[in-house]
Amino acid sequence: MLRTPVYGTRLRILTLLRERDAAAGGLTAEAVAARLGLPHPVALTHLRLLTALGLLRTDGPGARVRYRRDEARIAEVARLFEKGW
């Protein structure tokens, strides 16, 4: 996840969700795509990967899935990197 050309996009998604999470209760893939100027399929691919890594949680049914940060998992991963993992 970290040493790829798309890392910047994933970091932008995590940052956007940090800024919007509390106020909006998460964002849909459509909202992430629109706010970051990405095609919807690209945003969805990144969101699914971040979810598979455990960095995001999902809420909501079907096409209206909302993505939220999993702060506990993000803190856990940050600690691993601080230890030199």
Side-chain angles (χ1 to χ4, degrees), residues 13-76:
I13 289 171
L14 288 170
T15 301
L16 173 66
L17 288 173
R18 180 181 58 220
E19 295 167 357
R20 302 293 302 169
D21 230 0
L27 293 173
T28 63
E30 293 83 6
V32 170
R35 289 171 196 222
L36 297 180
L38 299 171
H40 179 264
V42 171
L44 192 55
T45 296
H46 288 295
L47 289 164
R48 286 179 176 161
L49 176 65
L50 290 168
T51 301
L53 291 170
L55 300 177
L56 299 180
R57 291 179 288 136
T58 58
D59 301 316
R64 300 307 303 170
V65 170
R66 299 179 80 76
Y67 293 87
R68 301 179 55 125
R69 290 167 49 109
D70 185 333
E71 297 298 340
R73 176 68 175 147
I74 290 170
E76 179 183 332

